[in-house]
Every structure is written in C-alpha cells, then in structure tokens.
Amino acid sequence: MTLVVKVGGAAGNAVAPTLDDLARRSDYVLVHGGSDEVDRLGTALGRPSEFYTSPSGVVSRKSDPAHLEVVVLALAGKVQTALVAALAARGVRAVGLSGVDGGLLRARRKEGAREVVDGRVLRVPEDWSGTIESVDATVLRALLSAGLVPVVGPPAVTARGEVVNVDADRAAAAVAVALGASDLVLLTNVPGLLREPADPSTIVREVDRASLDEVLPLAAGRMRKKVLAAQEALRGGVRRVVIASSQGPSPVARALDGGGTVFR
Ligand code: ADP
C-alpha cells in the first residue's frame, strides 16, 4: 500500500530524520513545500514574500508573476534537488518532479482570489495561484514500479499549459487520493493540530468525520491548509491522515504509530 509523506518547509522543520526514516521503506511518494526557502530566496532576489488573508480566513502566498518565479526557482529548483540529493546520499534512487512534469498536478487558475485589507474585500491582482483539479498519476506509477521514489512539489499546470502555484499540503492530499494511498503523513514544525497553538500539550489526538467541522475553526493560518488537506484526502478514500512533528528520530514511523493528530 503506497504511503504519501509530505515534509514541511517552514522554519523549525527537521528533514534529515524523515529521510533517514524513509530510506528504510519502499513504495512511497515524498511531497514537499518549502516556504522558508521561498522566503529566503525572495529576499535575496529583492522580491520578499507577501501573503494575503481570504474572506474565509485562509492565508495564502501572493503569486504575481515576480513571486511565482521565485516559487519555481526555490521549490522545483533548490528544495527538490536538495531532497533528491539527500535521498541519494542514503542510497535511495529518487526522481524530482514538479506538478508540471508529466501533467502530474492539473490545476485551475483561481478566478478572482479575494483578500481582506483593512476590513475591505479586494481582488488579489495578477494572481497565478491555482486549485488542483486532478492528478495524472501515470508518471508516479511508472517510477514506483521501477523501484524509484518520486519527490513531488509545486507548481502545477493548467489545461492551457500555464504554471500556477498550489498549496503543497493540498497537493499531497491529491496525490494520496490518486494513488489510492492508505495513509498520508503531513510532517510539520508542531506536534499536530493544537487547541492552543502555542501549547503542545493541547494537541487534538483524534479527529473523525463527526468532529472535523468542530476542529476546523481551531486551525488558523497555515495549519488550516493541513486540516483541509486531511479532509480532502479522507473524502477521496485515504484511510488515515496524520499531522505530526518532523522533529526527533523516526518521524514517519512515529506518525504511523499514531503520534500526532490522527484523522480517520
Ligand atoms: P510546514 O511548512 O511545516 O508545512 P506551516 O507553517 O505551513 O508548516 O504550518 C504549520 C504552522 O501552523 C505552525 O507552525 C503554527 O504556527 C501554525 N498554526 C496555526 N494554528 C495552529 C493550530 N491550531 N495548531 C498547530 N499549529 C497551528
């Protein structure tokens, strides 16, 4: 049964323990974001990241053409190459793919994204972000059956061949659904979904269908995308989704043992 693991890219994530852990496994897809690297590279290039909050409270990165360029350089260039190289150092033959490769992540450009500015709802100008509509898993299946590990990240591609930024957590969920994965593990810089974001002891251990709507309001900022991703994965037939910490030894095994917030 294929496993999909997404590694976090924000500050405070530990990647090495995840790769050590994955190197002992087979039949998995690694999905990555890399927000920290996008921010770092953007600043170095004089294009610092900007974010907006939608009327429903979801925080997204601004993806005008100048920022999208940074996203592509940082994610499909630097972060992905570094992950493939780090797996190679562990004896794993991995292949990096953006969502554009092989038409892997098909997205629709978000029409009329809206942001709240000083209490007013405005259109987000020149936005090149997208919503994933489908996954063509052909290339993933071909790689997996050849014993290779796919390493997948944003951007995605539209039906017209436009490159659009997509959220990596949602991309991981879409990949897990398309592959019929049994489990999706979202590793991040906090132990899971927290009732009090600053207090790790307030972790929500289990979420089922009935309690999903109840926990969604807890997830502010970027955690909200993970809870939405968990919801999408479960709806698509994934048996279990775990949001867990990337820190400490064997984070994947620990998450699969229920260490984190388990959605079923
Ligand atoms: P990553 O790059 O690891 O995927 P993100 O920065 O996208 O991580 O999302 C994790 C962040 O979500 C946490 O560091 C935390 O600041 C924020 N967050 C907001 N609300 C919550 C919550 N209820 N529980 C846990 N984290 C939360």
Side-chain angles (χ1 to χ4, degrees):
M1 281 292 228
T2 308
L3 167 69
V4 176
V5 176
K6 189 250 173 184
V7 280
N13 273 288
V15 178
T18 303
L19 301 180
D20 291 341
D21 201 356
L22 288 174
R24 294 187 281 267
R25 296 176 177 272
S26 57
D27 198 25
Y28 61 90
V29 175
L30 182 61
V31 179
H32 67 87
S35 49
D36 212 33
E37 186 55 35
V38 175
D39 295 345
R40 197 198 63 75
L41 191 64
T43 301
L45 294 174
R47 299 178 196 178
S49 299
E50 292 168 26
F51 297 88
Y52 69 92
T53 305
S54 76
S56 61
V58 178
V59 179
S60 298
R61 176 178 294 282
K62 286 205 172 169
S63 301
D64 59 39
H67 285 108
L68 181 66
E69 212 168 58
V70 177
V71 167
V72 175
L73 287 169
L75 299 190
K78 183 148 184 223
V79 170
Q80 192 164 92
T81 304
L83 286 171
V84 172
L87 282 168
R90 290 163 173 80
V92 179
R93 286 196 304 152
V95 176
L97 300 161
S98 85
V100 181
D101 292 296
L104 176 57
L105 302 177
R106 267 296 170 85
R108 172 173 41 82
R109 187 179 172 189
K110 275 185 200 162
E111 297 254 336
R114 296 272 187 276
E115 63 181 321
V116 181
V117 182
D118 298 332
R120 290 197 306 150
V121 178
L122 305 175
R123 207 177 138 268
V124 181
E126 284 201 277
D127 185 56
W128 286 92
S129 63
T131 306
I132 296 173
E133 284 194 311
S134 64
V135 174
D136 184 342
T138 314
V139 65
L140 298 181
R141 292 210 178 85
L143 292 170
L144 288 168
S145 65
L148 298 161
V149 172
V151 177
V152 175
V157 66
T158 71
R160 295 157 71 178
E162 297 152 328
V163 173
V164 289
N165 191 17
V166 289
D167 177 66
D169 291 304
R170 316 279 284 271
V175 165
V177 169
L179 286 174
S182 52
D183 297 275
L184 168 64
V185 174
L186 301 172
L187 295 174
T188 182
N189 56 2
V190 286
L193 172 63
L194 308 172
R195 289 193 181 275
E196 294 291 336
D199 182 355
S201 72
T202 63
I203 185 167
V204 177
R205 289 269 164 219
E206 289 253 346
V207 180
D208 58 18
R209 263 167 216 276
S211 56
L212 239 172
D213 289 340
E214 182 215 322
V215 300
L216 199 55
L218 293 176
R222 288 165 16 182
M223 181 52 65
R224 196 174 180 85
K225 297 257 172 81
K226 296 184 199 301
V227 176
L228 292 173
Q231 189 174 25
E232 286 162 8
L234 292 180
R235 281 192 183 141
V238 176
R239 197 170 48 92
R240 183 171 61 151
V241 182
V242 189
I243 300 177
S245 170
S246 62
Q247 287 148 353
S250 306
V252 178
R254 207 171 352 98
L256 292 173
D257 282 341
T261 301
V262 179
F263 295 74
R264 26 174 135 244

